[in-house]
Amino acid sequence: MRIPFETMFELFRSVLVKNGFRADRAELCARLFTETSRDGVYSHGLNRFPTFIDYIRKGYVRVEAEPELAESMGVLERWDGHSGPGNLNAHASMTRAIELAKQHGVGCVAIRNTNHWMRAGSYGWQAAEAGCVGICWTNTIPNMPPWGAKDSKLGNNPVVFAAPRTGGEPIVLDIAMSQFSYGKMGIHAASGEPLPVYGGFDREGNPTQDAAAIIETRRSMPIGFWKGSGLSFMLDLIVTMLSGGNSSMDMGKLGAERNLSQVFIAIDAARLPDRDELDRKVLAMIDDLHAASPDENGGRARYPGEETLRVRERNLREGIPVDEAIWEQALKLDA
């Protein structure tokens, strides 16, 4: 089942208005959700929308709250999200980081007391489309054990790296510190399809491709094993320091993923003195990547974000694929 972009957008916008959003904020929030599904990240678009509304109704997300400047330290600013909608707070934070970058060359915004930002890559695309190198990351509720342990003490703490291209589409890497995000595992658990590689551990502590078993144990596997475990901890530690907000440990005590901490960094690429030569170098790097011989399964090398562009074009042309049960659930929210 495929739904036109505008149909999905209008449904989201209508539901948000009915749940207390001001018209302009409902429009931006709906666009961010719809663009997430349009680009193929279904787990954080339509599939996440009913949970987002549930969090509003539980009081975890305050629809009227807007981020407020707490401290200014030159190119670094601390903001308080006041438990507002996570994707709106994130968009505003990257907007401010870009403004600082255009003024100083580099801008960094750290925000505390915000909520789940949905698709992390949205803010990398935002930075790159504004001509900036973008780096951002978030902490999460503890949902991954440190390497060598059973208990979930780490978040999977998604991080994004983005680079602009003159005359071309941005290059955007969006990854979590777990082998698979819980949203992705939820899709596999619902379909019964095994994960393509080990994603975590079952009750007996064995590596498994069974997404449902991993969701049950909450023992997801860090990328790079001990390396991903260490990187996850450092991302959490640095975002907590820069924002002055909650760590994953603190959110574990809250019992729900809310009042997170996030960092947004923008670097104005237009200020680089050798930009023309850099553009040629980036193109040469992409061509060199594409020249890699296919593997034994007939795969091909792609730069980060390349597949997103292919999926985006198809979904705009044919409609966005949806899980019919979740689409019906979203329709009921608008009743």
Side-chain angles (χ1 to χ4, degrees):
M1 182 178 181
R2 288 180 175 267
I3 301 296
F5 181 96
E6 286 301 323
T7 300
M8 184 177 290
F9 167 78
E10 286 299 333
L11 173 63
F12 289 161
R13 187 194 60 78
S14 177
V15 172
L16 292 169
V17 168
K18 289 178 179 178
N19 280 272
F21 279 74
R22 204 172 64 224
D24 59 328
R25 286 166 61 79
E27 183 164 336
L28 176 56
C29 188
R31 178 172 65 78
L32 289 168
F33 267 107
T34 311
E35 288 178 351
T36 296
S37 276
R38 175 203 66 187
D39 287 357
V41 190
Y42 310 113
S43 58
H44 288 68
L46 169 65
N47 294 18
R48 183 83 188 190
F49 189 74
T51 300
F52 178 65
I53 298 302
D54 180 56
Y55 272 35
I56 290 171
R57 293 173 178 175
K58 286 179 176 177
Y60 296 165
V61 177
R62 297 174 53 213
V63 299
E64 77 288 350
E66 298 190 44
E68 179 183 18
L69 179 63
E71 292 99 19
S72 178
M73 295 159 275
V75 299
L76 168 63
E77 293 181 350
R78 276 182 172 179
W79 288 68
D80 192 315
H82 295 300
S83 301
N87 56 5
L88 294 185
N89 279 350
H91 188 275
S93 296
M94 184 55 87
T95 296
R96 180 56 184 157
I98 292 167
E99 290 172 351
L100 289 168
K102 297 298 183 181
Q103 182 180 356
H104 302 288
V106 178
C108 178
V109 169
I111 187 170
R112 59 181 178 253
N113 297 325
T114 189
N115 279 298
H116 195 303
W117 60 3
M118 306 307 150
R119 177 180 64 157
S122 296
Y123 319 107
W125 288 93
Q126 180 187 352
E129 288 168 357
C132 291
V133 170
I135 305 169
C136 55
W137 71 93
T138 182
N139 57 15
T140 72
I141 196 169
N143 56 18
M144 185 172 72
W147 189 252
K150 292 183 179 180
D151 300 332
S152 289
K153 296 292 186 180
L154 302 175
N156 61 354
N157 303 341
V159 62
V160 177
F161 299 92
R165 289 174 60 199
T166 302
E169 294 291 347
I171 302 167
V172 181
L173 177 68
D174 171 0
I175 57 171
M177 293 301 101
S178 55
Q179 188 67 45
F180 298 95
S181 72
Y182 273 88
K184 183 73 171 178
M185 287 193 288
I187 291 175
H188 279 263
S191 68
E193 181 183 3
L195 298 167
V197 297
Y198 290 141
F201 303 90
D202 62 19
R203 284 184 178 180
E204 286 71 44
N206 299 312
T208 181
Q209 294 172 251
D210 184 342
I214 300 166
I215 292 172
E216 179 186 2
T217 62
R218 306 296 286 182
R219 290 184 65 186
S220 58
M221 185 178 290
I223 60 171
F225 306 130
W226 51 88
K227 296 178 182 179
S229 175
L231 183 55
S232 172
F233 182 77
M234 289 305 298
L235 288 170
D236 184 28
L237 184 126
I238 292 171
V239 75
T240 301
M241 290 176 63
L242 293 181
S243 69
N246 285 329
S247 65
S248 290
M249 176 187 70
D250 297 321
M251 277 181 283
K253 297 173 183 176
L254 291 174
E257 191 169 79
R258 55 194 177 102
N259 293 334
L260 299 85
S261 304
Q262 296 166 356
V263 168
F264 301 82
I265 300 170
I267 304 167
D268 186 7
R271 288 176 174 250
L272 299 173
D274 49 353
R275 183 62 193 273
D276 291 342
E277 177 58 30
L278 289 174
D279 287 336
R280 286 190 289 270
K281 178 65 70 68
V282 169
L283 184 59
M285 291 170 67
I286 291 173
D287 289 342
D288 184 61
L289 187 76
H290 285 162
S293 300
D295 65 15
E296 292 78 5
N297 297 316
R300 58 181 292 266
R302 297 177 300 216
Y303 65 79
E306 186 173 0
E307 180 67 8
T308 298
L309 298 171
R310 186 192 67 79
V311 172
R312 178 186 299 178
E313 188 277 330
R314 182 185 180 189
N315 287 350
L316 285 174
R317 183 180 70 251
E318 300 179 8
I320 301 169
V322 301
D323 180 301
E324 293 188 37
I326 298 176
W327 180 247
E328 288 298 322
Q329 189 179 357
L331 289 172
K332 289 177 182 178
L333 293 173
D334 197 37

